[in-house]
Amino acid sequence: FFLAPGKGKNMKKKLFCILLSLAMVLTMMPMATMSAFAGETKTANSWEGLQAAIDNANEGDTIKLTADIRAESGNETISVSNEITLDLNGYMLDMDVENSQCSYSVIEVVEGGDLTIIDSPNDSAASHDIYSCNGEDYNYGHWFSYKPEGYDDEDEVYTKHISINGGLITGTYGCAAVFVDTGSQVTLQRGNIAGNVAWDDGGGVFVEDGGKFVMNGGNISYNEAAYGGGVAVGSRSSAIDKGEFILNGGTISNNIAY
């Protein structure tokens, strides 16, 4: 095989250009793939609207709160079965059992679900006050997201008044605020899980056998339970096949286990 003088150099240049172009395409492919799965951002300002937005979300979508959301009578746990991001956006998601007349978790991620919780900075969202009541009517104490009737700063029945900055998941009385079911995963990037009470396992977060919770940031605080005030991984009744909790960052503090 013989190339005339000068043609070998041209061939090398063409080959170099082809390889360079291929390298650029390969470099751009992950970015294109990420863009394709980045998803859309949808908004919610009511309990029913939030559940509907989650149910209709595509993989990779973000649901952003645009107001404080309190559960009302008939509202049940927000259920997540797909791969989405919940942006608290500085607002509060409150089970508010005093009005909803139920004892549910705020969020349950069921098998196959993959929820990431973030909290975008929002100067328009105010801080949130939570109040603790340890009166005779509440065996495990109770947290309110508003000043309860009869509240007196000097009354020993109400032992705590905490101000929370940023997005907040709160208001349970009986169950963990975030329930991570078998075969599901939750990742907490930013935001607060605070002011919740469980009668049994995990006031803030409960990770079921085979579930996974990854904490990269945020705060789990001022929660109460009989076992695992802030976080419980697997139930006390199960000695094997525990769930998984990975702590990479954030703060877990001021939780109470009875």
Side-chain angles (χ1 to χ4, degrees), residues 163-211:
S163 183
I164 303 289
N165 293 314
L168 174 63
I169 298 174
T170 191
T172 66
Y173 183 59
C175 299
V178 178
F179 190 100
V180 187
D181 213 338
T182 301
S184 70
Q185 176 170 324
V186 173
T187 302
L188 178 62
Q189 299 284 22
R190 295 183 299 276
N192 301 279
I193 301 174
N196 301 282
V197 178
W199 297 331
D200 199 355
D201 302 327
V205 175
F206 178 74
V207 187
E208 181 67 277
D209 294 344

Side-chain angles (χ1 to χ4, degrees), residues 33-253:
T33 302
M34 288 178 64
S35 299
F37 290 96
E40 299 178 355
T41 297
K42 303 175 181 179
T43 60
N45 60 8
S46 69
W47 201 269
E48 296 86 352
L50 176 58
Q51 185 64 73
I54 292 172
D55 291 343
N56 294 318
N58 296 313
E59 181 178 337
D61 282 356
T62 295
I63 315 299
K64 177 181 285 190
L65 303 188
T66 57
D68 288 338
I69 298 178
R70 282 191 171 93
E72 298 178 353
S73 179
N75 290 150
E76 298 183 359
T77 298
I78 296 293
S79 179
V80 178
S81 61
N82 43 7
E83 183 179 343
I84 63 165
T85 296
L86 174 62
D87 186 353
L88 298 175
N89 194 29
Y91 292 108
M92 176 175 62
L93 187 57
D94 180 13
M95 176 50 77
D96 191 7
V97 293
E98 291 297 301
N99 290 325
S100 62
Q101 301 299 312
C102 59
S103 179
Y104 298 117
S105 296
V106 179
I107 298 172
E108 180 178 4
V109 185
V110 301
E111 185 174 3
D114 189 343
L115 173 66
T116 299
I117 301 171
I118 66 173
D119 185 28
S120 296
N122 184 356
D123 293 337
S124 300
S127 62
H128 304 99
D129 293 331
I130 55 175
Y131 302 82
S132 176
C133 170
N134 291 316
E136 295 179 358
D137 294 336
Y138 303 100
N139 293 331
Y140 295 102
H142 186 68
W143 284 96
F144 296 89
S145 58
Y146 49 86
K147 186 177 289 188
E149 184 178 354
Y151 182 90
D152 185 343
D153 288 320
E154 298 180 357
D155 190 340
E156 293 182 357
V157 169
Y158 299 98
T159 58
K160 296 184 180 72
H161 172 198
I162 308 297
S163 183
I164 303 289
N165 293 314
L168 174 63
I169 298 174
T170 191
T172 66
Y173 183 59
C175 299
V178 178
F179 190 100
V180 187
D181 213 338
T182 301
S184 70
Q185 176 170 324
V186 173
T187 302
L188 178 62
Q189 299 284 22
R190 295 183 299 276
N192 301 279
I193 301 174
N196 301 282
V197 178
W199 297 331
D200 199 355
D201 302 327
V205 175
F206 178 74
V207 187
E208 181 67 277
D209 294 344
K212 182 177 181 180
F213 189 98
V214 180
M215 186 172 181
N216 294 326
N219 300 284
I220 300 175
S221 57
Y222 302 106
N223 302 287
E224 302 177 15
Y227 167 74
V231 177
V233 182
S235 65
R236 288 173 290 175
S237 60
S238 175
I240 58 174
D241 297 329
K242 297 289 187 181
E244 185 176 5
F245 184 93
I246 299 175
L247 179 61
N248 296 321
T251 302
I252 303 175
S253 63

